[in-house]
Amino acid sequence: MTSTLTELELLTELEPVVEANLNRHQSMAKEWHPHDYVPWDEGTNFAAMGGVDWDEEQSRLDPTAKAAMITNLLTEDNLPSYHREIATNFSLDGPWGTWVGTWTAEENRHAIVMRDYLVVTRGVDPVALERARMQHMITGYNPQTDKDILHSLAYVTFQELATRVSHRNTGKACGDPVADRMLQRVAADENLHMVFYRNLCESALELAPDQAVGAIADILEAFEMPGHGMPDFRRNAVLIAKNGIYDLGQHLNEVVKPVLRKWNIMDRTDYTGEGERQRDRIGAFIDDLEGKVERFEETRHRALERDRKRRESLAG
């Protein structure tokens, strides 16, 4: 086997791995239904049906929980764009195609249950939410890195784990056991998806270590969450990071480092000179990110302290 493989060679060589991991996924995934996680008895009609339209006072969610729920839901809403990307970069034939369909169907449940919860509980303005959905889906999703199988596998591995962390912390931030249970269920799906992609990427590293580690380095340096193009993303991301839903330290310590350790990126001995250069590039990236995390933590501490003093001043 040559050290540089074509897209077709990678798809062919990885197909047995896809099949094995698809079987593993299907044996571990638990069937669940979105309607079982929504408190329907809290629902009331809106004005078009003779009821009352949404008002800010109806929501039990604080600004951080609202920002996180909206960001997570709009991310899930853009599923058609993600389906197009993975279908293009993988394949719709054989086990690849079965996985693409399975992943798409499972991800769609996340958007269904989160929207139903927010509308029934009146957690956010449903009109603003729908307008944002329309805008975000019309814009679509365009990855910034090269569109090929290795970059795709690397990206979705980190992205699925990041999404799991974000969903789990959002559930806690909502202060509602119903939301927490719902997002625990969603996060469990995301973890299984991450393991599937992580295992495929690990096999790709065995097949073509130099190519794979180069793709991983590219993805780490350019990584953005898939919702980065949505309305108000930057503002919401700052609020989410400030309050510990998903921040730079979590990205480094709960997502990037564990995956790199699982792949044994820094200690592999099968690289050529080019692979070693890409490995060192990853090492330099980690060092730089650690410095950014330290600076972020200091900035956040000062910001939270200012907020605390402001609240005390208003209360006094």
Side-chain angles (χ1 to χ4, degrees), residues 212-230:
V213 74
I216 292 165
D218 289 342
I219 291 300
L220 286 174
E221 289 183 347
F223 185 85
E224 288 186 301
M225 292 293 274
H228 65 85
M230 71 178 58

Side-chain angles (χ1 to χ4, degrees), residues 20-32:
N21 279 275
L22 176 61
N23 291 336
R24 175 191 180 278
H25 178 84
Q26 291 173 334
S27 72
M28 298 186 70
K30 295 181 179 180
E31 183 183 42
W32 63 278

Side-chain angles (χ1 to χ4, degrees), residues 305-316:
E305 185 64 17
R306 285 196 300 270
D307 289 348
R308 183 186 65 80
K309 291 180 179 179
R310 188 180 301 115
R311 288 194 301 271
E312 289 178 351
S313 175
L314 292 173

Side-chain angles (χ1 to χ4, degrees), residues 187-200:
D189 277 3
E190 303 289 14
N191 192 63
L192 285 178
H193 296 161
M194 179 276 294
V195 171
F196 179 93
Y197 290 124
R198 188 187 66 189
N199 290 349
L200 260 65

